Amino acid sequence: MGRDSAAVSDPTWHRGRGRLRRWLAAWLPDTDWSDEFFEELDRDLARRAATKPGLGLTFWYLRQLLSPSTIGFVRASRARQQARWHAMGHARLATGLLQDLRQACRGLARDPWMAVLVVMTLAVGIGSVAAMVGLGQRLFLSGPPHVVASERVQRVFLTFDDAGGRRTSAWLPFNTAVAIRDSVDGFDGAAMYRRAEELADFGGRVRQVSMNAVDGHYFAVLGAQAAAGRFIADDDATDVLVLSERVAVEEFGSETAALGQTVRLGEYIGNVIGVAPAGFAGPDLDRVDAWRPLDVGAATGRNWWLFGRLAPTSETTRATAEAQAIHEAVDPGQFFQWARKGRVGMAGVHDDPTGERAAETSIAALLLGVVALVLVISWVNVLNLLFARVARRQGEVLVRLALGIGRWRLARLMLTESLLLSLLGGLASLPVAYGEGALVRNVLLPGVAWESAAIDTNLMLVTFLAVLISGVLLGLLPARHAHRADLSGGLSEARQGPSGSRARLQTVLVTSQIMLSAAMLLCAGLFVKSFWTMRVTDLGVDASVVHVANLRSLDAALGGGGDDEEARYVQALNALRRTQGGGDGGREVALAVGLPFITNFSMSVHVDGVEEIPQLHGGGPFISAVSGGYFEVIGTEIVRGEGISESDVATGARVTVIGESTARTLWPASDPIGQCARIGGPEAACYRVVGIAEDVNRQGYREPPSLQFYLPIGSSRAFRGPSLLVRSTRSGGAYESALAAEISSAVAGIDFIEVRRLDTFLDPEIRPWKLGAVMLTMVSALAMVMSLAGVFGVLSYVVAQRRREIGVRMALGATSRSIRGIVLRKGLVSGLVGVFLGFAAVLAGSRALAPLLFETGVADPLVMTTTGIGLVMAAVLACLLPATQAARVDPVTSLRAEP
Amino acid sequence: MSLGDLQNLTILAVAQLGPEAVARQVRELLAQRVGREVAVPTIFVTLTRLEDQGLLKSVEGDHPERGGRRRRIFSVTEKGWAAVQATRAASERLWEGIAPQ
């Protein structure tokens, strides 16, 4: 016992013994007396090891001490267990599977880092795919929620071909919309609606809601069913209202509690007759909070959106032709003659109201493709790791085969292992999917009506499928390899390193990984550049430092206080001017009617001596009525002359400031300053041009120049409903609510204040690029890290396998430097080839990619150079450690280590 | 049934040890009384095979030592007795008529 304890006190002994035990356990079936066997073996080894003091009691030494009969025992135990399984008959398979599972767990536990790497890689791949499928499902895979057979629902719009190219408009004049709705035989039914933001009063709680005014066919054509109560029907009186599930629950506690309640929506008062199911937004993507019947009296003077359901026997082309014929026959009315130039078009509901495929949809489809690539990369990566592992376990596989394990059983074992890994990866992917889903929903697509939570049964199903596919795919190759393992050949290979074919396969795998991530990184770079180009586009206004305050009162909305409203704004303006310098060192405030990106007013403009003023592709003439200081506040530069001053407003001077393009178009030959523009028609008063301002984008980022006029506010009674502008470099929710609080305390009779930065009105336009840039960058960065981990893993493995060869080279006179060069070259070549192929793939797909980019070419030299150099450098970095390891190989040790 | 030498000795050792017939004791007895050093796995294999052949049977024992593991306690079956006796008889028949050297 004394000698035993001498050995047992040696820490090397403990380690070696533990390893030995695990080594044996991997082969030995878990029989009822393997424990006793180990204990005896332990005692015996301790005794024998202690008789040879001075020798390190390492695993290898202990293993040498094992007699050949150990193997005999292991083999006998296995035979015994197999006999028992035979005896058990039916229970055999189940026990076998359980056994496999236990073995697989043990196998993974022996290689924990590999297992963690594989699980994480799979988690990212599977999680991203699941999240994007969730996104794609809402945007383009399945139709709008709760719409029956949405592929038969077609939007109707007008297209205009003019010198500036094709332009589409979702707006149809009332007469045209009604005629098409009621007379197209190709439709089973059609409905018209329009969307507006309204102030809603829920028994004292005031909030802004997104409201659709719909006709009586709207819900019937969509085929939706109410979650509670009923929907608006054709014969409904104009005092009914349908709420969304979200608003009903938030305001009244439950869907049924909302029924029968009275809600004021702007000037409209309605009783809630129904609640829409969660996620229902009609044919649109964006959230809708309430639906009210359209008011026929006011409807005729407005434009409408129209959609129809194709009759079972009808086709889009037939319905379009019929609608076109009706459009040509119907008089759109006095103010809608512009519509006559348009042709009727139709498109499915996945497209946005203008009939163009929504950019979100295209980018979501791209993202889905990209994350599918990520999954492929993660598979390739995992395959690499598994191959390296199979090679490392060659000895073990051979021992198993020598012990009489069936080849099929061995393959099954490998398959079990990969299924287990995929399952763990699938579990770990759920938080990834949830995180990515939540990011997309809350940050990138906040306005979209989501039907379900970020993780739902569909997502679980996708995850499960991905797990199954991953498990089988990743198990089959190594299993096939194991199945074909050849005792004699395998033994020599295990000693000499990977055979040519497998080394080639690994190189191909690594190169293809780099290729895929190069392609993704390039796409990401292009999107980032598009996004950036968009952000720095000169809009003519400083949209990122201007806040727009929207002051609203229910009384004004009821039509009682047009003048009140003006007065309130002036009061707020003065209050803010009084506190100037209070918070942020000189506050600049102004009022305007007609703001870029929010409201555009158009009137006819007449210039004496010109029959009809020319039109510009950007539209217009857009007219804004502004207070003094407007140009300074909003950041529009006056290029000549002067802006609208306080005294102009006070005296009601008939002066105007025009845009640069306007000046060039209307007075190409003469000096515009001092000229006269009749705003409102040939008989209107003459406004003298006093200044020229730089051109301003009126609708969004991409836009040709338009005709633009600025008048002093109050000079024309036509311009009502001003906005309050505050210029401040401060922003964020806290600043905006502080500003709102300050205004509401200074101004009486305000029920609702919303302060928003001007550029947030552009968000819907920039959203797809933001989505693309953020998601692509994130996902491709993940892919790059995965690929580099793959490069690193494979090269480390190759170095480990070729240790002996490197030793021989060094013994023959190779320097550390040249050895390092060999490894680095291998990585560099893979990197360069991968980057080249990846870029080539992107360029090949440029036709599909180009429309998704904003003023950025697919072959953008800056983006290409940056991503290319970055990726190659990262690949070299990933090779550096294996290269250094290789250079440090000691020829003496490496040659002695191998038999 | 004819038994190998080690099998024969193992059955006899199990019989000798009675309720203490666990793998370790069998191995130690063989070492002390017969002077035969048997490797650990060998004794396990032998005991397992004898049990498979129905010459020995085993039960899960209590903890013979404080803190020790549960051990398998072997005993000789009828068939086992018959086998050792047959081996002994065979051996004795051959010994008959051999003059002691």
Side-chain angles (χ1 to χ4, degrees):
Chain A
M1 220 25 223
R3 277 156 83 178
D4 289 7
S5 54
V8 165
S9 66
D10 181 351
T12 330
W13 157 253
H14 278 293
R15 276 200 302 277
R17 173 172 165 254
R19 241 187 107 185
L20 186 68
R21 181 168 181 155
R22 285 195 298 277
W23 185 70
L24 276 169
W27 302 343
L28 193 66
D30 212 4
T31 61
D32 41 10
W33 71 325
S34 46
D35 276 349
E36 196 180 335
F37 170 67
F38 280 130
E39 195 176 317
E40 288 309 304
L41 200 61
D42 234 19
R43 272 168 58 93
D44 189 52
L45 288 176
R47 193 174 52 77
R48 285 160 63 188
T51 58
K52 302 194 176 161
L55 269 176
L57 294 175
T58 58
F59 164 70
W60 297 106
Y61 175 64
L62 291 174
R63 208 175 88 168
Q64 275 177 14
L65 285 182
L66 287 181
S67 60
S69 55
T70 306
I71 306 294
F73 174 68
V74 171
R75 186 184 271 179
S77 305
R78 188 173 290 283
R80 199 172 132 86
Q81 191 168 50
Q82 273 169 355
R84 226 184 301 151
W85 286 342
H86 277 294
M88 281 193 293
H90 292 303
R92 186 179 153 220
L93 186 66
T95 322
L97 288 179
L98 203 69
Q99 185 80 9
D100 286 349
L101 196 64
R102 210 184 286 164
Q103 296 264 17
C105 287
R106 269 202 211 137
L108 295 187
R110 271 189 303 152
D111 221 346
W113 283 112
M114 200 271 328
V116 167
L117 209 62
V118 168
V119 167
M120 277 170 48
T121 307
L122 282 177
V124 169
I126 297 177
S128 304
V129 165
M132 285 310 122
V133 168
L135 172 68
Q137 198 181 6
R138 176 66 183 91
L139 292 185
F140 61 90
L141 290 179
S142 60
H146 310 291
V147 174
V148 175
S150 58
E151 70 284 352
R152 306 285 299 166
V153 178
Q154 297 282 312
R155 290 180 187 283
V156 183
F157 51 86
L158 292 176
T159 60
F160 299 88
D161 286 307
D162 52 28
R166 172 159 293 190
R167 190 163 61 80
T168 58
S169 166
W171 296 115
L172 273 71
F174 181 81
N175 292 352
T176 313
V178 168
I180 293 177
R181 183 189 71 180
D182 297 339
S183 318
V184 171
D185 291 331
F187 281 149
D188 239 1
M192 51 197 255
Y193 69 109
R194 57 181 287 145
R195 171 186 281 264
E197 297 292 313
E198 283 285 0
L199 211 54
D201 180 6
F202 294 92
R205 297 177 304 277
V206 176
R207 67 188 274 182
Q208 184 139 316
V209 295
S210 170
M211 191 268 310
N212 273 1
V214 302
D215 66 7
H217 309 285
Y218 178 90
F219 292 102
V221 171
L222 294 174
Q225 298 295 320
R230 61 179 183 87
F231 280 146
I232 296 166
D234 215 4
D235 51 358
D236 262 317
T238 54
D239 62 345
V240 294
L241 198 63
V242 171
L243 293 182
S244 72
E245 180 260 3
R246 197 176 69 104
V247 168
V249 169
E250 280 174 17
E251 295 298 335
F252 299 108
S254 78
E255 293 153 3
T256 44
L259 295 178
Q261 302 277 356
T262 304
V263 174
R264 198 155 112 181
L265 263 180
E267 56 201 81
Y268 181 81
I269 296 174
N271 292 315
V272 179
I273 55 160
V275 176
F280 178 76
D284 301 322
L285 198 59
D286 285 339
R287 203 158 54 211
V288 182
D289 300 314
W291 292 262
R292 53 162 276 199
L294 61 85
D295 175 5
V296 180
T300 50
R302 291 195 167 145
N303 293 311
W304 294 87
W305 287 350
L306 184 70
F307 62 87
R309 179 178 291 278
L310 290 174
T313 54
S314 177
E315 289 303 321
T316 314
T317 43
R318 198 189 116 196
T320 311
E322 276 184 70
Q324 174 63 26
I326 293 166
H327 166 59
E328 284 165 13
V330 168
D331 178 14
Q334 187 192 349
F335 300 106
F336 301 101
Q337 292 302 318
W338 55 266
R340 283 193 175 268
K341 290 182 214 154
R343 286 192 63 79
V344 174
M346 285 189 200
V349 285
H350 293 315
D351 305 315
D352 77 359
T354 60
E356 279 167 2
R357 193 167 199 209
E360 276 103 335
T361 307
S362 308
I363 286 170
L366 178 77
L367 277 177
L368 190 61
V370 163
V371 293
L373 279 187
V374 171
L375 188 59
V376 171
I377 291 183
S378 72
W379 280 342
V380 173
N381 208 5
V382 169
L383 264 184
N384 257 333
L385 288 165
L386 288 183
F387 268 126
R389 187 169 137 81
V390 165
R392 233 182 357 257
R393 288 169 65 188
Q394 190 93 7
E396 182 195 325
V397 168
L398 292 173
V399 171
R400 280 176 190 271
L401 284 172
L403 289 176
I405 187 174
R407 282 169 193 274
W408 279 116
R409 170 94 211 285
L410 191 64
R412 213 174 70 199
L413 202 64
M414 299 272 173
L415 207 59
T416 314
E417 237 181 58
S418 72
L419 276 172
L420 184 69
L421 279 172
S422 316
L423 197 70
L424 291 174
L427 282 179
S429 78
L430 289 180
V432 176
Y434 184 81
E436 283 186 23
L439 178 78
V440 169
R441 281 157 180 248
N442 301 332
V443 181
L444 303 172
L445 296 172
V448 170
W450 297 103
E451 187 182 6
S452 54
I455 284 196
D456 60 2
T457 43
N458 277 336
L459 187 137
M460 299 287 267
L461 201 71
V462 171
T463 309
F464 178 73
L465 265 177
V467 164
L468 212 62
I469 296 172
S470 311
V472 172
L473 205 69
L474 299 177
L476 278 183
L477 276 170
R480 185 168 149 263
H481 191 81
H483 184 67
R484 289 158 73 202
D486 169 39
L487 268 178
S488 52
L491 268 171
S492 60
E493 190 185 325
R495 270 199 226 104
Q496 287 165 4
S499 66
S501 72
R502 204 174 60 225
R504 264 198 302 281
L505 179 63
Q506 279 185 333
T507 312
V508 169
L509 288 179
V510 164
T511 311
S512 54
Q513 262 182 313
I514 296 181
M515 175 190 125
L516 293 176
S517 38
M520 286 170 60
L521 271 182
L522 183 58
C523 287
L526 292 173
F527 268 86
V528 170
K529 178 134 192 261
S530 292
F531 182 55
W532 181 249
T533 313
M534 220 166 198
R535 287 305 293 266
V536 300
T537 300
D538 184 13
L539 299 166
V541 294
D542 301 337
S544 61
V545 293
V546 175
H547 296 257
V548 181
N550 176 12
L551 322 183
R552 299 182 68 179
S553 129
L554 284 164
D555 288 334
L558 269 176
D563 289 324
D564 280 11
E565 197 182 8
E566 304 270 357
R568 250 194 303 279
Y569 276 94
V570 174
Q571 207 181 338
L573 182 74
N574 293 333
L576 286 174
R577 286 216 171 120
R578 272 198 301 281
T579 58
Q580 201 167 39
D584 36 347
R587 191 150 43 196
E588 298 171 80
V589 285
L591 290 178
V593 183
L595 268 180
F597 326 128
I598 305 176
T599 44
N600 282 313
F601 289 99
S602 188
M603 279 177 115
S604 63
V605 173
H606 183 81
V607 174
D608 292 337
V610 179
E611 188 69 26
E612 190 181 355
I613 61 166
Q615 287 290 309
L616 289 182
H617 292 312
F622 294 115
I623 311 203
S624 300
V626 302
S627 71
Y630 168 83
F631 293 101
E632 290 77 36
V633 170
I634 206 162
T636 301
E637 199 190 332
I638 300 289
V639 290
R640 274 193 62 200
E642 54 199 40
I644 305 284
S645 69
E646 286 293 346
S647 64
D648 290 336
V649 175
T651 58
R654 299 268 152 123
V655 293
T656 181
V657 172
I658 59 176
E660 275 183 289
S661 297
T662 316
R664 269 198 303 276
T665 312
L666 296 185
W667 294 281
S670 51
D671 185 1
I673 303 277
Q675 300 278 6
C676 163
R678 298 188 183 276
I679 295 173
E683 279 81 47
C686 170
Y687 285 80
R688 194 169 43 84
V689 177
V690 292
I692 299 171
E694 65 176 312
D695 275 342
V696 168
N697 285 28
R698 296 300 305 193
Q699 332 241 22
Y701 286 100
R702 294 198 217 218
E703 147 180 336
S706 55
L707 293 179
Q708 298 169 355
F709 295 85
Y710 301 88
L711 318 176
I713 196 166
S715 66
S716 164
R717 298 295 292 167
F719 295 97
R720 307 297 294 267
S723 300
L724 185 65
L725 304 179
V726 181
R727 186 184 177 93
S728 168
T729 49
R730 286 168 60 193
S731 70
Y735 173 73
E736 282 162 14
S737 38
L739 202 59
E742 193 181 331
I743 297 171
S744 72
S745 67
V747 184
I750 295 177
D751 292 311
F752 179 83
I753 295 189
E754 189 192 38
V755 177
R756 275 176 73 180
R757 230 168 60 188
L758 187 56
D759 60 357
T760 62
F761 290 92
L762 288 166
D763 276 353
E765 195 187 353
I766 207 167
R767 195 159 78 181
W769 282 275
K770 197 164 151 190
L771 178 74
V774 172
M775 292 306 293
L776 268 176
T777 308
M778 202 172 80
V779 163
S780 56
L782 281 176
M784 190 181 84
V785 170
M786 269 198 276
S787 312
L788 294 182
V791 173
F792 173 76
V794 166
L795 279 183
S796 302
Y797 165 71
V798 166
V799 167
Q801 286 284 303
R802 287 172 65 182
R803 194 164 279 267
R804 189 178 155 81
E805 181 207 316
I806 294 169
V808 171
R809 279 176 190 259
M810 290 185 106
L812 292 176
T815 58
S816 299
R817 203 188 149 92
S818 67
I819 295 291
R820 198 183 294 130
I822 292 174
V823 180
L824 278 180
R825 213 157 29 240
K826 200 171 162 61
L828 194 66
V829 167
S830 283
L832 280 173
V833 172
V835 167
F836 177 77
L837 291 177
F839 283 10
V842 172
L843 289 178
S846 61
R847 187 189 285 267
L849 192 62
L852 299 177
L853 302 174
F854 180 79
E855 288 176 12
T856 305
V858 173
D860 189 272
L862 178 73
V863 175
M864 270 192 153
T865 325
T866 327
T867 46
I869 291 179
L871 199 55
V872 171
M873 265 171 61
V876 169
L877 265 178
C879 306
L880 220 53
L881 193 66
T884 315
Q885 273 172 354
R888 284 219 194 101
V889 166
D890 176 8
V892 181
T893 341
S894 75
L895 290 176
R896 196 196 280 149
E898 302 275 341
Chain B
M1 170 178 284
S2 62
L3 292 175
D5 185 32
L6 183 60
Q7 287 177 316
N8 192 25
L9 290 176
T10 306
I11 298 176
L12 289 174
V14 169
Q16 183 82 251
L17 286 164
E20 289 175 6
V22 294
R24 180 191 294 180
Q25 298 295 338
V26 171
R27 188 165 159 259
E28 281 175 3
L29 188 77
L30 289 180
Q32 286 159 16
R33 298 274 279 274
V34 193
R36 182 143 176 190
E37 290 277 353
V38 186
V40 173
T42 312
I43 203 72
F44 276 77
V45 172
T46 310
L47 286 169
T48 310
R49 288 201 178 135
L50 288 172
E51 195 182 4
D52 286 346
Q53 288 162 17
L55 303 175
L56 294 178
K57 60 184 179 191
S58 69
V59 288
E60 193 85 31
D62 299 330
H63 302 267
E65 299 162 21
R66 193 176 287 272
R69 287 181 191 281
R70 230 168 228 284
R71 285 164 202 291
R72 195 154 276 279
I73 299 171
F74 287 86
S75 55
V76 184
T77 61
E78 296 267 322
K79 197 178 165 190
W81 277 119
V84 276
Q85 263 154 10
T87 308
R88 182 179 174 173
S91 150
E92 274 170 0
R93 272 200 297 279
L94 286 174
W95 274 107
E96 274 171 25
I98 297 177
Q101 299 287 314

